[in-house]
Amino acid sequence: MFSPIIGQNSKRAAVRKALDRHKVYITAQSFSAGAYQARVLVDGEAYWVDEFRLSQLQQGLSPAELELTPATDD
């Protein structure tokens, strides 16, 4: 049996989950010898990632979960 209250609670939980997810900003992209790299900004920290890691970040995994190290500015 579906209740309007249960429906509203599930919608609010989905919105809360979306708001809690970190934002990933792509600040630079590089294509070299068939390889893709992107410099991304996540929670104020920059990282160089490949296409696979970028997709993982965009799915909600954190840089700590992926064991990424911050990019050094040369």
Side-chain angles (χ1 to χ4, degrees), residues 7-73:
Q8 186 66 29
N9 286 342
S10 66
K11 289 177 186 177
R12 287 183 183 191
V15 168
R16 191 177 318 111
K17 182 179 177 183
L19 291 175
D20 287 342
R21 183 179 298 168
H22 59 261
K23 302 253 190 289
V24 177
Y25 299 97
I26 299 173
T27 60
Q29 297 181 63
S30 160
F31 301 92
S32 176
Y36 172 80
Q37 269 197 322
R39 185 175 191 268
V40 297
L41 190 63
V42 180
D43 299 329
E45 195 70 56
Y47 303 92
W48 280 103
V49 296
D50 59 10
E51 192 170 1
F52 179 68
R53 296 283 187 240
L54 176 59
S55 69
Q56 289 180 316
L57 286 170
Q58 290 173 330
Q59 291 173 12
L61 291 172
S62 72
E65 291 172 317
L66 298 173
E67 299 178 358
L68 298 177
T69 57
T72 57
D73 291 331

